[in-house]
Structure formats: C-alpha cells, structure tokens
Amino acid sequence: MANDKLRLFRKIIVVFLKYGITYLCQRVGALAHRWTYKEVSNPKNVVILGGSFAGIPLAKRLTETLPTGYRVVLIEKNSHFNYLFNFPRYSVLQDHEHKAFVPYTGLARGAPRGIFKIVQGLATDIGDEEVELKSGGRIRFEYLVIATGTTQNAPAQVLSTEKEDSCAELRDMQGKIRSANSIAIVGGGAVGVQLAGDIKTFYGDKRVVLVHSRDQLLPNFGKRLHSYVIDKLEHLGVAVMLGERPQLSRAAGPMSLAFKDGGSQAFDLVIPCTGQTPNSSVLSSFGPDAISMKNGRILVKPTLQVQFHDKPSSKGYHIFALGDVAETGGPKMGRAGLMQAEIVRANIASLIQGNSKLKSYDPDPLEGALKLSLGKSDCVMYMDDKEGDNFLIPVKGGKEDLQVAQAWKMLNASMGAS
C-alpha cells in the first residue's frame, strides 16, 4: 500500500500541474470579469435546475464568466445546500446535523451585481424557452442546465426542503438508532457501508448486520476494495450477509427479514440503503425520448447537450444535463460533477459567442476516486485506473464531523450561519 501512495502521488502531481495553471487563469479571468460585466434591466437567463454537487460549481463559474446581458438563475427546491456526504455520519452522531445544511447566501459573493439570482422552488416541466415551477410561476431561459440529481432513501437524503425540518429528520434517525439493540442495514453501497461502520463504532454494544444483494460490496469499484472493506467491517464487529435480497419497506423501522435459506431474523430497526432514482421527470413531457428506458437517466451527447431524437437540430441545442441525473459515461461522484460543470460552462460560452465547435466530456479516472469512512477514525481512499490498475490507501484520524467545513467554504459561508 506504500507503493500505492507513491504511484498515486505521481498521478496527482501531473493533474495538479495541469489544472493548477487552469485554476490560476480562471482566478485572473474572474477578477477581470468583475470590472467588465455590467448589470442590465432585462438579462437573458441561463437557468440551472438543481443546486447540489453539479449545479453549484456550474453556477459559481458562470457568475465569473457570463458576458453582460446574461445572468445565472439557480432554481433549487431546498432552502440550504444539503451536504449529502455527511448524512450517514450525522444520522448516528448527535449535535452535528445542522452543519450538513449550508446557506446559499454566500454562493455569488464577490460576483458582479445583477449576474446571479436564486429561486427556491421545484421545476415540474419545461418548454422550448421556459421552465414551469410547482408554484405556477414560469421562468424564461436562453440556456437551460438540468442538474437535478437522484432521489434516495433516508438517511442518504431527507424529504424536507427546509433546514429545521431536515435537521429534525436526521435527529429522528439518530433516536431510532440509539434506541435499537439490533439493526439491519440493507444495501452495501457507500451509504450502507459507512452507516454500518459508524453505528458499530459509536454504539459498540449494538448488533449490526449489513445485508447486500450481490456477492461484492461497493460493486461499482474493484474487488480489492471489497476485500478491504469486508475485513474492516468484520473487525469492527459488523456481520455481513452477501447475496441476499430480502423484501422490505422503503421506510426505516422494526422488521423481520426473510433470507434465501428459508430462515428469518427480527431486527429492532431495518434501514434501507438501496438504489437511486434519477430526477429526470422534468423532461417527461417536453422530451420523453431523452430519458433512458434502461435506468431513467437523461441521455446526453458528448457535449453534455441533451440528446433529443424527435426534435429538429435547431431545437434542444440550448439544453444541457450533467451530474447523477445524466447518462454522461462518467462516474456518479461529486468530483465528476465538477469536471462536467466546466464542460457545460465552456460550451454555453461558445454558443453565446456564436461558435458551434463545442468541447466533449472525457471522464478522467480521478473523478471516480472514492474516500470512504469506515467507522469513527478510519477511512480508505480508492481509485481505479484506465489501465486496469487500482490504488488503495488507508487513512487514519480525521474529525468526527468529517471535515464539513470544506462544504461551507465551497459556498462562501461562515460556519454557524443560518
């Protein structure tokens, strides 16, 4: 594993040199943009649906680059940015849940006046030139970007759209976990694995069973990671059952699970951590052919423009999709959303300038790098390489709140702000 560190360090140095120069150029460009952008009375809207890990970096970059006459309109159903990475930990650890909800108020701090607007609402339908909201309102757009992500079971997500109610949901899960003696977690993806490890390290006396339908945990990654995680979980005292697909309800609660050998086990608490549903329904009327019949994701071209099959080429060119809701060919990770955001930004800039030559998205292995917490004080970094190689690096220590301050910094917010 020491060799893994050295090999990965070499790759990171190359990437750092490549993107470090790009980042410096972006900062210089953003500074110049502040002085050249002028507020106008009726700007054309670049509308982004969704203010999460793909929509946020895109909104920030557009506020640094859009020319005079255009502005960013971010439509987001939640009152605060939901830092989903920490939801499993804050479903177990008490008195930290409020940190997972970051205000959007600082997002455009330092940007030119008039270039950014945020609207709290849910987009339900789109047309060629406007978005319809659940409230009945309509917002016109020159360009539209769909970054609506996916829907998952609690505790991967919450149902509420307001911070206080969302915190209450996480506290409710904390209470259920605290009062249960036997807990089954169904689903061996990242959320299920992290939740199992956290429960067992913060409540060592509880019986914790992780149930997974396949023969490999974290099936989107290599078997080396599976073996490492299995060993860590068993060392913590988490029982792992593979190849089991018990019937269960969507809500967490007490339940008896039936297994394929004919036996069953009763648990004080069963927590479903299975599956993701892409939030692509906003296209169901305007472009149903652009929604994959296989997985419900939005089909996109390499340029990340939505792939409409039943519209002339002059229509739909101004609509993009990225992140977990889109079938991009890249990993479903926050880092991938960041890279895709820059492709979309560059292509919108080209279209505004009348340039039809657009950039294509080519996933980089670093976008799929995973940092997975395995209990209170352990985590592992893992990455698959294009050449079929992989990197696995154990990491010790870290804060109980999982370095949530980085999320607040990303949104230019001060920790503790409402």
Side-chain angles (χ1 to χ4, degrees):
M1 291 184 185
N3 186 42
D4 280 4
K5 290 182 180 179
L6 180 59
R7 290 187 299 121
L8 184 58
F9 178 75
R10 289 171 179 165
K11 284 187 173 289
I12 290 175
I13 284 294
V14 173
V15 172
F16 178 81
L17 292 174
K18 176 182 177 181
Y19 289 106
I21 296 173
T22 300
Y23 178 78
L24 288 175
C25 292
Q26 288 176 356
R27 294 306 93 211
V28 172
L31 184 61
H33 178 261
R34 294 178 192 176
W35 298 102
T36 58
Y37 181 90
K38 303 299 180 183
E39 183 178 14
V40 298
S41 56
N42 293 300
K44 296 177 181 179
N45 293 328
V46 179
V47 172
I48 303 172
L49 305 183
S52 192
F53 292 96
I56 288 299
L58 176 59
K60 290 181 68 175
R61 287 290 292 131
L62 286 171
T63 64
E64 298 171 349
T65 56
L66 279 180
T68 294
Y70 290 83
R71 69 171 175 180
V72 185
V73 179
L74 176 64
I75 301 176
E76 166 57 47
K77 66 177 182 178
N78 294 312
S79 65
H80 290 65
F81 174 77
N82 285 206
Y83 193 57
L84 303 176
F85 292 149
N86 285 17
F87 276 23
R89 172 64 57 89
Y90 296 168
S91 297
V92 180
L93 182 65
Q94 300 174 58
D95 301 324
H96 290 271
E97 62 278 352
H98 61 282
K99 299 178 183 178
F101 304 97
V102 187
Y104 286 107
T105 49
L107 179 59
R109 183 173 297 154
R113 181 175 176 178
I115 200 170
F116 179 76
K117 179 181 180 181
I118 185 167
V119 176
Q120 186 179 357
L122 177 65
T124 56
D125 199 4
I126 68 170
D128 282 330
E129 298 178 340
E130 66 180 13
V131 173
E132 182 175 339
L133 304 181
K134 186 177 181 180
S135 64
R138 295 175 181 272
I139 298 176
R140 292 184 63 81
F141 64 82
E142 192 75 10
Y143 297 95
L144 175 69
V145 185
I146 304 171
T148 45
T150 61
T151 296
Q152 302 180 67
N153 294 327
Q157 289 183 348
V158 293
L159 296 175
S160 303
T161 59
E162 301 297 322
K163 178 175 181 176
E164 289 306 315
D165 294 335
S166 298
C167 287
E169 286 188 47
L170 292 180
R171 287 193 295 268
D172 180 65
M173 182 62 74
Q174 293 168 13
K176 289 178 178 178
I177 291 171
R178 190 166 58 249
S179 62
N181 292 315
S182 59
I183 301 172
I185 298 159
V186 181
V191 173
V193 167
Q194 289 181 103
L195 189 61
D198 282 347
I199 293 173
K200 196 61 183 176
T201 51
F202 285 101
Y203 297 101
D205 58 337
K206 297 185 185 298
R207 175 177 170 243
V208 180
V209 179
L210 178 62
V211 183
H212 189 51
S213 61
R214 304 190 190 184
D215 294 327
Q216 177 184 330
L217 297 176
L218 302 152
N220 292 329
F221 301 90
K223 290 187 176 180
R224 185 184 179 196
L225 179 62
H226 160 82
S227 298
Y228 182 85
V229 170
I230 282 280
D231 182 68
K232 281 291 184 180
L233 290 177
E234 291 180 347
H235 180 75
L236 289 173
V238 175
V240 179
M241 300 179 68
L242 299 175
E244 296 283 358
R245 194 186 295 271
Q247 296 295 315
L248 70 162
S249 64
R250 290 181 63 85
M255 192 184 304
S256 181
L257 298 182
F259 299 104
K260 61 186 179 183
D261 64 358
S264 63
Q265 295 183 37
F267 295 91
D268 299 329
L269 179 63
V270 175
I271 305 175
C273 292
T274 55
Q276 299 181 358
T277 303
N279 296 321
S280 55
S281 62
V282 72
L283 275 180
S284 58
S285 296
F286 180 74
D289 64 302
I291 300 176
S292 169
M293 297 289 290
K294 180 180 178 181
N295 54 34
R297 295 194 184 107
I298 297 174
L299 303 174
V300 295
K301 303 174 185 179
T303 57
L304 301 182
Q305 292 165 298
V306 174
Q307 179 71 66
F308 295 106
H309 295 287
D310 63 350
K311 297 185 184 299
S313 58
S314 60
K315 295 290 185 181
Y317 75 93
H318 58 328
I319 301 177
F320 296 78
L322 76 163
D324 289 358
V325 73
E327 192 71 287
T328 62
K332 304 307 175 187
M333 307 282 280
R335 197 174 293 105
L338 177 67
M339 302 303 290
Q340 293 163 22
E342 187 58 26
I343 296 295
V344 172
R345 184 214 62 80
N347 287 343
I348 289 175
S350 292
L351 290 172
I352 290 174
Q353 295 165 5
N355 184 358
S356 60
K357 187 176 182 180
L358 305 183
K359 289 188 175 183
S360 294
Y361 170 60
D362 182 21
D364 186 281
L366 278 174
E367 296 175 27
L370 174 71
K371 184 177 181 181
L372 183 74
S373 65
L374 295 169
K376 181 179 179 180
S377 58
D378 285 312
C379 69
V380 62
M381 296 180 65
Y382 181 87
M383 187 184 82
D384 287 309
D385 202 355
K386 280 184 177 179
E387 289 75 29
D389 201 357
N390 58 65
F391 305 86
L392 191 152
I393 302 172
V395 181
K396 297 289 282 186
K399 296 182 179 180
E400 281 191 345
D401 68 6
L402 296 177
Q403 291 77 42
V404 71
Q406 63 188 357
W408 290 74
K409 183 178 180 180
M410 180 176 69
L411 273 81
N412 299 319
S414 300
M415 284 283 286
S418 59

